Amino acid sequence: MPTNFSQVIEDNVEEALSGVKGEIAVKIAGPDLDVLTQKSEQIAAVLGRIPGAADLAAVRIGGQSELYVVIDRERIPAGHQRADVNTALQAALAGNAVNTFFEGDRRFDIIVGLKPEYRASVDDIAALPVPLPGGAGTVPLGAVAHIGVRQGAARIIHEGGSRNASVKANLLGRDQGSFVAEAQQLVAQQVRLPPGYSITWGGQFENQQRAVKRLAVIVPITVLLIFSLLFWAFRSVRRAMLVLAIVPFVLIGGIAGLALAGLHFSVSAAVGFIAVAGISVQNGVIMVEQIVEIARSNGSPSQSAVLGALARLRPILMTALMAGLGLLPAALSHGIGSETQRPFAVVIVGGIVSATFFTLLLLPLAFPYFSDRGDND
């Protein structure tokens, strides 16, 4: 029996994403439960050979004992119908409504059926009397039907109008992207699905893929809007480009932070990169405004850049220290729930360091090359 250690909140999030308590969920859809069980176990065996897989298990479908009754047409007495046997069986096991009882405005069905102690075993079911036509007596149910106990489905999960079985897996020391890419390749090579069956990959990986696709559209639009706001503030394409040109350099700190912490890129880390980019733009605007103001009276872009950097050194360092020290405990945490907040905090702390360094160093050095003629007036 597989054992898995997890957290309540984590389980709720993962179940909301894919219906499976695991970072990676592989779902096999098809009509036959036996085939689904077989293929899910094959996929679980393939994933178990891939480095980084942990808490791997195929979600069990079977395991529920059930009673089956198969009526034998040849053993039914003459003049007897299958419906008569079904009626007797239903009356004994499920009960039949024989009358109605009224209590004021409320209505209750009167159900007649066997007590649980008289239908607790296969022998009891086989001894159920089935009336013969015309009141000619009864015959035991076991004389006209095959009765037994078998293992059936404990759960039948439907998704998208079809049955499916799931394989769950968590990751240890490996990123989701490379693991899923390798897993998809091996499963495609080693697991053959009959016609009418399909495999889908879900869980946190699916959520991450959706988020990356959205970011691929949102980020360019956001950059365009920021550029428009910078142009509206500076009335200069060069100055707006100068502020945006610093952003790729400040992301170096976030990437280095993830590498040092042993973390992988995730949706949380992506949000951290966006936040660091915003801080970088803010510091850049403050710096450029100060340099331009000094350049209007000084006349030398190079000297104005140095003076502007010195003038804005304290405000930029205060902003960096406030954000960096505030998120440092979250970046160093390893407790419950840190898997979500830690990448975000690590990216911001590392990005703040590089943002401060490159803003104070590169931006003043690059300003003379991006200055307008009006800066020399």
Side-chain angles (χ1 to χ4, degrees), residues 66-71 89 122 125 145-151:
E66 61 182 19
L67 176 72
Y68 72 91
V69 179
V70 180
I71 300 175
L89 185 61
V122 175
I125 302 300
H146 302 284
I147 305 172
V149 177
R150 63 187 178 189
Q151 293 296 311

Side-chain angles (χ1 to χ4, degrees), residues 226 247 250 272-284:
I226 293 175
V247 174
V250 304
F273 279 114
I274 295 175
V276 169
I279 296 174
S280 171
V281 171
Q282 176 187 352
N283 291 339

Side-chain angles (χ1 to χ4, degrees), residues 9-259:
I9 297 179
E10 181 182 0
D11 287 345
N12 292 339
V13 172
E14 290 171 349
E15 281 194 302
L17 291 175
S18 60
V20 179
K21 297 179 181 179
E23 295 182 39
I24 306 299
V26 186
K27 298 182 179 180
I28 310 97
D32 193 304
L33 294 178
D34 293 334
V35 175
L36 293 177
T37 302
Q38 178 186 5
K39 296 304 177 182
S40 64
E41 293 175 352
Q42 290 182 5
I43 293 176
V46 173
L47 298 183
R49 295 192 291 267
I50 301 177
D55 301 328
L56 183 67
V59 179
R60 293 179 60 86
I61 296 178
Q64 178 69 38
S65 298
E66 61 182 19
L67 176 72
Y68 72 91
V69 179
V70 180
I71 300 175
D72 190 344
R73 294 175 179 268
E74 298 180 355
R75 294 161 62 180
I76 297 179
H80 215 288
Q81 301 294 330
R82 292 185 60 186
D84 300 329
V85 181
N86 289 331
T87 301
L89 185 61
Q90 178 180 353
L93 300 183
N96 276 340
V98 297
N99 206 340
T100 304
F101 173 72
F102 291 91
E103 184 179 345
D105 295 334
R106 293 184 297 177
R107 173 179 176 176
F108 302 92
D109 289 333
I110 300 176
I111 306 296
V112 175
L114 286 181
K115 290 184 176 181
E117 56 266 25
Y118 296 115
R119 47 185 171 90
S121 66
V122 175
D123 293 336
D124 292 338
I125 302 300
L128 289 176
V130 178
L132 293 174
T138 61
V139 62
L141 178 63
V144 296
H146 302 284
I147 305 172
V149 177
R150 63 187 178 189
Q151 293 296 311
R155 62 171 71 182
I156 301 177
I157 302 175
H158 288 80
E159 185 173 325
S162 62
R163 296 175 173 179
N164 71 71
S166 303
V167 179
K168 71 178 185 69
N170 293 323
L171 301 183
L172 186 62
R174 188 167 184 181
D175 65 291
Q176 295 179 1
S178 64
F179 177 86
V180 173
E182 182 177 354
Q184 288 177 335
Q185 181 180 2
L186 292 178
V187 169
Q189 294 174 355
Q190 302 180 20
V191 179
R192 301 298 178 185
L193 296 179
Y197 293 80
S198 61
I199 296 177
T200 57
W201 298 77
Q204 294 184 19
F205 167 76
E206 183 181 9
N207 186 49
Q208 179 181 357
Q209 293 296 101
R210 286 198 301 263
V212 169
K213 290 181 180 178
R214 292 173 183 171
L215 289 175
V217 178
I218 294 174
V219 170
I221 296 177
T222 303
V223 172
L224 181 60
L225 292 176
I226 293 175
F227 176 81
S228 302
L229 293 174
L230 291 174
F231 177 77
W232 179 68
F234 294 131
R235 295 294 191 273
S236 171
V237 174
R238 292 185 177 183
R239 295 171 190 168
M241 291 296 298
L242 173 60
V243 175
L244 286 180
I246 300 299
V247 174
F249 293 96
V250 304
L251 300 182
I252 295 176
I255 298 174
L258 289 177

